[in-house]
Amino acid sequence: MFQAILFIYSILYFIALLIYLPRVVFQAVFRKKRTQILNRIKPNLIAENRIQSRKIIWIHAVSVGEVNAVLALTRKLASDNYKIYFSTTTVTGQQVARSALSSTVTLLYFPLDFKIICRAFFRKIKPDLVVIMETEIWPNFLEISRRENVPVIFINGRISDHSIKNYLRISFLLKPLFKRITFMCMQSDIDADRIKKIGAPEKILRVTGNMKFDYSLKTSPDKQQLLDWLGIKLRHGQESLIWICGSTKSNEEEIISSLYINLKKDFPGLSLLIAPRHPHRGEEVANIFRSKGLRTCLRSRIDMNAADQEKSCDILVLDTVGELAYLYEMGDLVFMGGSLVPTGGQNVIEPAFFGKPILFGPSMTNFREIAEIFTDRNAAVQVRSPQELETQARRLLQNEAERSTLGINARQVLENNSGAVEENLEVIKSIINN
């Protein structure tokens, strides 16, 4: 019965790919994603001689957020002499992983979920264990892992308010899949209860916390040079203030541009660094601000070695990958995007690491627990509308002491909730060394 379900799923998955094909072709031609697409079909890996005493772990993280959350755990496993293969689904996730981990892991893209493709990946990598971040459940991948006798564990697992409804609709498919999962480490009791309702047996569940609270960031001379240079571009005099809007989504930038113009009247020294969630939208976002007469720069067009560039700008659009996390350090106030529009919000951990005052909007369903912890501990302010965002931003820009309090509390939240990396590390080692 289950094999019949898998067969039907594979047909539907293939049809979905055919529907998606025009976009794939567009991305391959215009966004230079041909390599990513091909490498999800055939593993572009050099066969390595297996060192008998060295066990192999395949870690998968979908995109930037998951990659950043699993960096510390990956480094610890690599330092313990495990051979690490690290896959991502997105190009941006791959770029961040390459920047942070290229010297310690072998990077690849996650395979398309067809049995023949997944089998080729497993037989090329020959993992002793697969570790998947959060709740990326791929039926054919899990079936092949069972046939290849490779245990699979999920870490930092979560079930969002939106996805629980969809998972319950297909629980008849998911219940057999849980038999192919060795262990699931969930972020919270709520996530554990939800996955049990879907069909996961309690014996494979453990609440280990959210690894995103264990966030750390290593600086470097080139990143410090970047901070110094962009500080020159954005700091204007003694009353200078920098507002950072991170990971914004479509329709938010237009709102932010209007709010910025209003705030600029009261704070002439206010500059804005805005980072769209998808960097390829950089030119589109820049044009929104240019159309309102604002001096706007694109980060990708700034050459830090050129002496003849314009010295400053009001708006800097960050259309690069892997820099935003470092640039939060220069902000006086941070707004997390994806939260004024109904897309589920973005993670506030990166600005909290630098002790920054944080604002976010009403849509935080993808980071429900984190948002609640931060607001309950006066470590962030949640607003319900663009008007309230302007009111709260103005209030905080006027009050340095309150900004400082929020920032100190945000940093304290990270310290009080850390430890999930070690919890998950304990689970991984207990399984792979068993």
Side-chain angles (χ1 to χ4, degrees), residues 124-251:
K124 192 79 169 180
I125 296 171
K126 297 182 174 66
D128 294 291
L129 175 68
V130 173
V131 177
I132 298 178
M133 277 290 287
E134 299 199 355
T135 325
E136 283 280 303
I137 299 176
W138 294 104
N140 282 320
F141 182 90
L142 290 174
E143 176 64 10
I144 295 302
S145 71
R146 182 189 67 82
R147 295 185 185 184
E148 296 293 321
N149 199 30
V150 178
V152 177
I153 70 172
F154 286 75
I155 60 173
N156 225 48
R158 68 184 181 94
I159 305 292
S160 70
D161 297 343
H162 174 72
S163 61
I164 180 63
K165 300 173 185 176
N166 295 328
Y167 280 137
L168 286 171
R169 291 191 188 103
I170 58 169
S171 59
F172 69 95
L173 172 62
L174 295 175
K175 285 179 181 178
L177 287 173
F178 289 125
K179 297 177 181 178
R180 289 150 175 81
I181 298 171
T182 305
F183 216 82
M184 302 190 79
C185 299
M186 307 303 290
Q187 292 183 16
S188 70
D189 291 330
I190 292 175
D191 296 303
D193 288 340
R194 286 178 172 179
I195 203 78
K196 277 193 287 187
K197 287 180 181 177
I198 296 166
E202 189 168 359
K203 66 181 180 181
I204 71 167
L205 300 178
R206 177 172 168 180
V207 176
T208 53
N210 191 337
M211 291 201 304
K212 291 181 178 179
F213 284 114
D214 290 78
Y215 178 80
S216 64
L217 190 67
K218 293 183 178 179
T219 189
S220 62
D222 62 317
K223 292 297 188 294
Q224 187 56 54
Q225 181 187 16
L226 175 67
L227 282 169
D228 294 341
W229 179 248
L230 294 183
I232 294 172
K233 301 285 287 185
L234 292 172
R235 292 284 181 193
H236 312 315
Q238 292 183 343
E239 295 185 357
S240 172
L241 292 165
I242 296 177
W243 183 24
I244 297 181
C245 295
S247 299
T248 58
K249 295 289 188 72
S250 180
N251 297 325

Side-chain angles (χ1 to χ4, degrees), residues 222-223 225-227 229-230 233 273-274 282-283 286 290 296-305 309 313 315-321 323-324 327:
D222 62 317
K223 292 297 188 294
Q225 181 187 16
L226 175 67
L227 282 169
W229 179 248
L230 294 183
K233 301 285 287 185
L273 189 159
I274 186 165
E283 188 70 44
R290 287 172 182 152
T296 304
C297 306
L298 274 171
R299 163 67 185 100
S300 61
R301 296 182 186 172
I302 294 176
D303 180 359
M304 291 191 293
N305 297 314
Q309 292 196 74
C313 54
I315 315 294
L316 175 67
V317 179
L318 191 69
D319 59 340
T320 53
V321 175
E323 293 183 340
L324 178 59
L327 296 181

Side-chain angles (χ1 to χ4, degrees), residues 286-389:
N287 287 335
I288 291 173
F289 290 91
R290 287 172 182 152
S291 69
K292 298 186 177 183
L294 298 166
R295 292 183 303 164
T296 304
C297 306
L298 274 171
R299 163 67 185 100
S300 61
R301 296 182 186 172
I302 294 176
D303 180 359
M304 291 191 293
N305 297 314
D308 58 347
Q309 292 196 74
E310 183 183 354
K311 291 296 182 183
S312 63
C313 54
D314 293 317
I315 315 294
L316 175 67
V317 179
L318 191 69
D319 59 340
T320 53
V321 175
E323 293 183 340
L324 178 59
Y326 296 90
L327 296 181
Y328 280 122
E329 184 177 359
M330 68 191 301
D332 296 291
L333 181 65
V334 173
F335 167 73
M336 293 308 302
S339 61
L340 274 181
V341 291
T343 58
Q346 294 296 326
N347 194 358
V348 301
I349 299 296
E350 290 176 353
F353 177 78
F354 290 108
K356 298 300 175 179
I358 303 164
L359 295 161
F360 52 78
S363 178
M364 289 292 286
T365 53
N366 291 340
F367 300 91
R368 176 195 64 253
E369 182 193 16
I370 290 177
E372 289 175 357
I373 290 173
F374 271 78
T375 53
D376 288 348
R377 288 158 178 75
N378 190 33
V381 176
Q382 186 168 27
V383 300
R384 300 295 172 184
S385 66
Q387 295 75 21
E388 190 177 351
L389 173 58

